PDB file of all heavy atoms in Angstrom:
ATOM      1  N   ASN A 210      10.425   3.460 -42.336  1.00  0.00           N
ATOM      2  CA  ASN A 210      10.863   4.523 -43.238  1.00  0.00           C
ATOM      3  C   ASN A 210      12.304   4.868 -42.895  1.00  0.00           C
ATOM      4  O   ASN A 210      12.595   5.344 -41.801  1.00  0.00           O
ATOM      5  CB  ASN A 210       9.966   5.748 -43.087  1.00  0.00           C
ATOM      6  CG  ASN A 210      10.364   6.894 -43.999  1.00  0.00           C
ATOM      7  OD1 ASN A 210      11.469   6.922 -44.545  1.00  0.00           O
ATOM      8  ND2 ASN A 210       9.470   7.832 -44.160  1.00  0.00           N
ATOM      9  N   TRP A 211      13.215   4.659 -43.831  1.00  0.00           N
ATOM     10  CA  TRP A 211      14.646   4.819 -43.588  1.00  0.00           C
ATOM     11  C   TRP A 211      15.172   6.196 -43.995  1.00  0.00           C
ATOM     12  O   TRP A 211      16.372   6.435 -44.001  1.00  0.00           O
ATOM     13  CB  TRP A 211      15.414   3.723 -44.320  1.00  0.00           C
ATOM     14  CG  TRP A 211      15.061   2.372 -43.795  1.00  0.00           C
ATOM     15  CD1 TRP A 211      14.007   1.594 -44.169  1.00  0.00           C
ATOM     16  CD2 TRP A 211      15.723   1.661 -42.755  1.00  0.00           C
ATOM     17  NE1 TRP A 211      13.974   0.434 -43.435  1.00  0.00           N
ATOM     18  CE2 TRP A 211      15.029   0.449 -42.552  1.00  0.00           C
ATOM     19  CE3 TRP A 211      16.846   1.930 -41.973  1.00  0.00           C
ATOM     20  CZ2 TRP A 211      15.415  -0.494 -41.617  1.00  0.00           C
ATOM     21  CZ3 TRP A 211      17.232   0.980 -41.037  1.00  0.00           C
ATOM     22  CH2 TRP A 211      16.516  -0.207 -40.863  1.00  0.00           C
ATOM     23  N   ASN A 212      14.284   7.127 -44.325  1.00  0.00           N
ATOM     24  CA  ASN A 212      14.722   8.466 -44.707  1.00  0.00           C
ATOM     25  C   ASN A 212      15.250   9.233 -43.498  1.00  0.00           C
ATOM     26  O   ASN A 212      14.872   8.961 -42.358  1.00  0.00           O
ATOM     27  CB  ASN A 212      13.565   9.242 -45.335  1.00  0.00           C
ATOM     28  CG  ASN A 212      13.132   8.645 -46.652  1.00  0.00           C
ATOM     29  OD1 ASN A 212      13.945   8.097 -47.387  1.00  0.00           O
ATOM     30  ND2 ASN A 212      11.856   8.739 -46.947  1.00  0.00           N
ATOM     31  N   ASN A 213      16.107  10.205 -43.761  1.00  0.00           N
ATOM     32  CA  ASN A 213      16.674  11.043 -42.702  1.00  0.00           C
ATOM     33  C   ASN A 213      15.992  12.396 -42.674  1.00  0.00           C
ATOM     34  O   ASN A 213      15.592  12.921 -43.710  1.00  0.00           O
ATOM     35  CB  ASN A 213      18.171  11.264 -42.947  1.00  0.00           C
ATOM     36  CG  ASN A 213      18.955   9.988 -42.860  1.00  0.00           C
ATOM     37  OD1 ASN A 213      18.697   9.158 -42.008  1.00  0.00           O
ATOM     38  ND2 ASN A 213      19.915   9.815 -43.750  1.00  0.00           N
ATOM     39  N   ASP A 214      15.923  12.979 -41.486  1.00  0.00           N
ATOM     40  CA  ASP A 214      15.437  14.342 -41.370  1.00  0.00           C
ATOM     41  C   ASP A 214      16.618  15.310 -41.491  1.00  0.00           C
ATOM     42  O   ASP A 214      17.746  14.891 -41.779  1.00  0.00           O
ATOM     43  CB  ASP A 214      14.663  14.547 -40.065  1.00  0.00           C
ATOM     44  CG  ASP A 214      15.512  14.400 -38.815  1.00  0.00           C
ATOM     45  OD1 ASP A 214      16.750  14.273 -38.916  1.00  0.00           O
ATOM     46  OD2 ASP A 214      14.931  14.396 -37.718  1.00  0.00           O
ATOM     47  N   LYS A 215      16.390  16.592 -41.270  1.00  0.00           N
ATOM     48  CA  LYS A 215      17.447  17.599 -41.428  1.00  0.00           C
ATOM     49  C   LYS A 215      18.611  17.381 -40.455  1.00  0.00           C
ATOM     50  O   LYS A 215      19.718  17.821 -40.707  1.00  0.00           O
ATOM     51  CB  LYS A 215      16.885  19.001 -41.276  1.00  0.00           C
ATOM     52  CG  LYS A 215      16.353  19.329 -39.890  1.00  0.00           C
ATOM     53  CD  LYS A 215      15.829  20.747 -39.815  1.00  0.00           C
ATOM     54  CE  LYS A 215      15.256  21.085 -38.480  1.00  0.00           C
ATOM     55  NZ  LYS A 215      16.148  20.949 -37.351  1.00  0.00           N
ATOM     56  N   ASP A 216      18.376  16.669 -39.354  1.00  0.00           N
ATOM     57  CA  ASP A 216      19.413  16.366 -38.360  1.00  0.00           C
ATOM     58  C   ASP A 216      19.983  14.965 -38.538  1.00  0.00           C
ATOM     59  O   ASP A 216      20.623  14.441 -37.623  1.00  0.00           O
ATOM     60  CB  ASP A 216      18.846  16.517 -36.948  1.00  0.00           C
ATOM     61  CG  ASP A 216      18.406  17.931 -36.647  1.00  0.00           C
ATOM     62  OD1 ASP A 216      19.107  18.877 -37.072  1.00  0.00           O
ATOM     63  OD2 ASP A 216      17.350  18.099 -36.007  1.00  0.00           O
ATOM     64  N   MET A 217      19.718  14.350 -39.690  1.00  0.00           N
ATOM     65  CA  MET A 217      20.201  12.992 -39.977  1.00  0.00           C
ATOM     66  C   MET A 217      19.724  11.987 -38.932  1.00  0.00           C
ATOM     67  O   MET A 217      20.394  11.007 -38.639  1.00  0.00           O
ATOM     68  CB  MET A 217      21.727  12.963 -40.100  1.00  0.00           C
ATOM     69  CG  MET A 217      22.272  13.773 -41.252  1.00  0.00           C
ATOM     70  SD  MET A 217      21.742  13.194 -42.866  1.00  0.00           S
ATOM     71  CE  MET A 217      22.524  11.602 -42.944  1.00  0.00           C
ATOM     72  N   ASN A 218      18.569  12.261 -38.321  1.00  0.00           N
ATOM     73  CA  ASN A 218      17.929  11.385 -37.325  1.00  0.00           C
ATOM     74  C   ASN A 218      18.721  11.264 -36.012  1.00  0.00           C
ATOM     75  O   ASN A 218      18.503  10.335 -35.246  1.00  0.00           O
ATOM     76  CB  ASN A 218      17.648   9.990 -37.893  1.00  0.00           C
ATOM     77  CG  ASN A 218      16.573   9.999 -38.950  1.00  0.00           C
ATOM     78  OD1 ASN A 218      15.946  11.016 -39.206  1.00  0.00           O
ATOM     79  ND2 ASN A 218      16.358   8.877 -39.577  1.00  0.00           N
ATOM     80  N   PHE A 219      19.626  12.202 -35.772  1.00  0.00           N
ATOM     81  CA  PHE A 219      20.309  12.225 -34.478  1.00  0.00           C
ATOM     82  C   PHE A 219      19.403  12.853 -33.436  1.00  0.00           C
ATOM     83  O   PHE A 219      18.621  13.756 -33.746  1.00  0.00           O
ATOM     84  CB  PHE A 219      21.613  13.037 -34.546  1.00  0.00           C
ATOM     85  CG  PHE A 219      22.759  12.289 -35.148  1.00  0.00           C
ATOM     86  CD1 PHE A 219      23.076  12.432 -36.493  1.00  0.00           C
ATOM     87  CD2 PHE A 219      23.529  11.431 -34.379  1.00  0.00           C
ATOM     88  CE1 PHE A 219      24.140  11.745 -37.053  1.00  0.00           C
ATOM     89  CE2 PHE A 219      24.592  10.733 -34.925  1.00  0.00           C
ATOM     90  CZ  PHE A 219      24.893  10.888 -36.267  1.00  0.00           C
ATOM     91  N   VAL A 220      19.492  12.374 -32.218  1.00  0.00           N
ATOM     92  CA  VAL A 220      18.811  12.988 -31.076  1.00  0.00           C
ATOM     93  C   VAL A 220      19.879  13.376 -30.059  1.00  0.00           C
ATOM     94  O   VAL A 220      20.929  12.748 -29.991  1.00  0.00           O
ATOM     95  CB  VAL A 220      17.771  12.047 -30.425  1.00  0.00           C
ATOM     96  CG1 VAL A 220      16.698  11.655 -31.420  1.00  0.00           C
ATOM     97  CG2 VAL A 220      18.421  10.823 -29.826  1.00  0.00           C
ATOM     98  N   LEU A 221      19.610  14.414 -29.311  1.00  0.00           N
ATOM     99  CA  LEU A 221      20.542  14.840 -28.269  1.00  0.00           C
ATOM    100  C   LEU A 221      19.996  14.437 -26.911  1.00  0.00           C
ATOM    101  O   LEU A 221      18.791  14.525 -26.669  1.00  0.00           O
ATOM    102  CB  LEU A 221      20.730  16.354 -28.311  1.00  0.00           C
ATOM    103  CG  LEU A 221      21.334  16.916 -29.594  1.00  0.00           C
ATOM    104  CD1 LEU A 221      21.393  18.442 -29.526  1.00  0.00           C
ATOM    105  CD2 LEU A 221      22.710  16.343 -29.839  1.00  0.00           C
ATOM    106  N   VAL A 222      20.894  13.982 -26.053  1.00  0.00           N
ATOM    107  CA  VAL A 222      20.510  13.698 -24.672  1.00  0.00           C
ATOM    108  C   VAL A 222      21.194  14.718 -23.777  1.00  0.00           C
ATOM    109  O   VAL A 222      22.243  15.258 -24.111  1.00  0.00           O
ATOM    110  CB  VAL A 222      20.876  12.253 -24.241  1.00  0.00           C
ATOM    111  CG1 VAL A 222      20.084  11.246 -25.048  1.00  0.00           C
ATOM    112  CG2 VAL A 222      22.347  12.000 -24.348  1.00  0.00           C
ATOM    113  N   LYS A 223      20.575  14.958 -22.640  1.00  0.00           N
ATOM    114  CA  LYS A 223      21.126  15.918 -21.677  1.00  0.00           C
ATOM    115  C   LYS A 223      22.142  15.205 -20.801  1.00  0.00           C
ATOM    116  O   LYS A 223      21.787  14.562 -19.814  1.00  0.00           O
ATOM    117  CB  LYS A 223      20.000  16.524 -20.848  1.00  0.00           C
ATOM    118  CG  LYS A 223      19.043  17.348 -21.671  1.00  0.00           C
ATOM    119  CD  LYS A 223      17.872  17.821 -20.855  1.00  0.00           C
ATOM    120  CE  LYS A 223      16.894  18.527 -21.771  1.00  0.00           C
ATOM    121  NZ  LYS A 223      15.577  18.653 -21.187  1.00  0.00           N
TER     122      LYS A 223
END
Side-chain angles (χ1 to χ4, degrees):
N210 180 344
W211 297 85
N212 294 328
N213 295 320
D214 65 7
K215 66 179 178 58
D216 297 321
M217 296 297 294
N218 291 354
F219 280 96
V220 300
L221 298 177
V222 295
K223 295 174 185 162

